[in-house]
Amino acid sequence: MWVCVSDVFDLKQIAENIVESATGRKPESLRMEGVQNELRREIGGKKYLLVLDDVWNEDREQWIGLRDLLMSGAQGSKILITNRTEFVATITGTNWLYTLKGLSDQESWSLFKQMAFKEGKEPKIHV
């Protein structure tokens, strides 16, 4: 399942998006309790991989609320969180933290050439 969280950490909306990602349909319930029940029905006892993409939430209590909803999955279920700050990663109680580094100037230019020019080669300029 893949859910883009972004800067608004609304527990009900995130739960709805997880259900939709798992089932391909929007949850039927409009109330949080109903959405929680649907989420637990979908992941309960099942092994899952959930990607929470672009998480900005810095409130540990909100994260704990979401984490508690996701604990009904089978052992071995994984949650991968992408974010932009180490602080967000630490409040989730992560087991592993991977910090990605940007490309060097040389790597950036090489990638640009591969994408922008035919066969990845710079055009020859004839003056």
Side-chain angles (χ1 to χ4, degrees):
M1 299 170 289
W2 189 289
V3 173
C4 182
V5 177
S6 202
D7 58 343
V8 177
F9 196 91
D10 180 280
L11 189 57
K12 181 176 179 273
Q13 183 64 51
I14 294 168
E16 287 174 347
N17 291 344
I18 294 170
V19 169
E20 185 175 2
S21 182
T23 64
R25 62 171 176 71
K26 288 208 175 272
E28 296 170 8
S29 178
L30 298 177
R31 299 182 58 209
M32 181 59 179
E33 184 177 316
V35 174
Q36 287 176 338
N37 290 336
E38 280 194 64
L39 176 60
R40 288 187 178 115
R41 239 186 339 266
E42 288 305 320
I43 66 171
K46 299 175 186 171
K47 192 173 183 178
Y48 66 85
L49 169 65
L50 171 61
V51 177
L52 296 174
D53 189 26
D54 198 25
V55 176
W56 287 74
N57 175 50
E58 294 186 349
D59 182 339
R60 180 151 172 76
E61 294 302 315
Q62 287 183 323
W63 168 251
I64 290 170
L66 177 59
R67 186 195 65 196
D68 290 347
L69 282 177
L70 301 171
M71 295 307 289
S72 64
Q75 186 173 355
S77 294
K78 302 290 182 202
I79 302 170
L80 174 75
I81 301 168
T82 69
N83 63 71
R84 299 176 192 205
T85 69
E86 192 170 322
F87 181 74
V88 171
T90 58
I91 68 162
T92 65
T94 184
N95 292 333
W96 298 284
L97 177 64
Y98 298 97
T99 303
L100 300 178
K101 307 248 187 292
L103 297 174
S104 69
D105 288 346
Q106 183 179 355
E107 292 166 327
S108 296
W109 179 242
S110 176
L111 178 60
F112 177 79
K113 288 190 302 187
Q114 289 175 32
M115 302 307 293
F117 302 125
K118 185 177 180 180
E119 298 175 9
K121 297 177 183 174
E122 292 179 60
K124 296 197 188 303
I125 300 174
H126 301 285
V127 181

